[in-house]
Amino acid sequence: MMSATSTLAMTHLVTLADELDKNKVTPGVLGFIVFAVIGAAVWLLMKSMNKHMKRVDFEEAPEPGKAPAAASAERPKGEERTA
């Protein structure tokens, strides 16, 4: 559903497009605005993803053939695991 403002803006853009040379095809201002908005959205999504990935604390599970006693031997005595 389009609002009155967007309909008015599209009407003005269409009339401006009619005044341009028909043999020259360019994306124009509207194409630039759409590209800039998509670029800004991707940048914000990547920034958010990086922030969330820094919070991830991933510890790989031991291999099935590895003895569980070997995992505890890697850590010095007295040092406890914190979550």
Side-chain angles (χ1 to χ4, degrees):
M1 188 166 169
M2 292 177 64
S3 68
T5 307
S6 61
T7 305
L8 183 62
M10 289 301 293
T11 305
H12 288 322
L13 288 173
V14 170
T15 56
L16 287 174
D18 287 339
E19 296 172 5
L20 296 176
D21 184 12
K22 300 281 185 193
N23 296 324
K24 183 179 177 184
V25 179
T26 62
V29 176
L30 182 62
F32 174 74
I33 292 170
V34 170
F35 186 77
V37 167
I38 291 172
V42 168
W43 182 75
L44 289 171
L45 284 170
M46 299 251 324
K47 189 174 176 180
S48 174
M49 182 191 69
N50 283 333
K51 185 170 68 171
H52 283 87
M53 290 300 287
K54 286 179 184 177
R55 293 182 186 171
V56 172
D57 185 22
F58 175 74
E59 188 172 316
E60 194 169 335
E63 293 181 15
K66 200 174 195 183
S72 64
E74 293 174 0
R75 214 176 308 117
K77 301 255 184 205
E79 182 181 323
E80 292 188 16
R81 184 186 212 170
T82 57

